[in-house]
Amino acid sequence: MPPRDFLERRNTLWARLRELTPGTPDFGATLAELSSLIGWERERVLAGLGLTPEDAPPGREGA
C-alpha cells in the first residue's frame, strides 16, 4: 500500500472509532481492522482512544 493510502486509511479508521459506540459489532470490526493495519495490539488502540479493555469488552463486540 502506498504511504499516502496507508495514512488515509489509518486516519479514517481512527476517526470512525471515535464516532462508534464501544462494545458494538461495528466498533469491534473497525478496531480489529485498525489493529491489523498498524500492528498494534487491541489494548494499545483502546488506550489511544482513552479507553480501557473494560470499556469495550471483546465478547460484546463479537470479536
Side-chain angles (χ1 to χ4, degrees):
M1 172 181 304
R4 180 177 176 88
D5 292 345
F6 169 82
L7 293 174
E8 287 177 355
R9 185 65 189 147
R10 181 201 66 187
N11 292 348
T12 297
L13 291 170
W14 276 114
R16 179 135 172 82
L17 278 175
R18 288 185 188 98
E19 295 171 354
L20 293 169
T21 302
T24 63
D26 285 344
F27 183 89
T30 304
L31 190 149
E33 184 178 351
L34 178 61
S35 180
S36 176
L37 179 70
I38 64 177
W40 285 11
E41 292 184 13
R42 181 180 187 283
E43 290 76 16
R44 187 171 177 190
V45 174
L46 288 172
L49 296 167
L51 300 171
T52 67
E54 293 78 26
D55 294 325
R60 290 181 51 209
E61 294 170 359

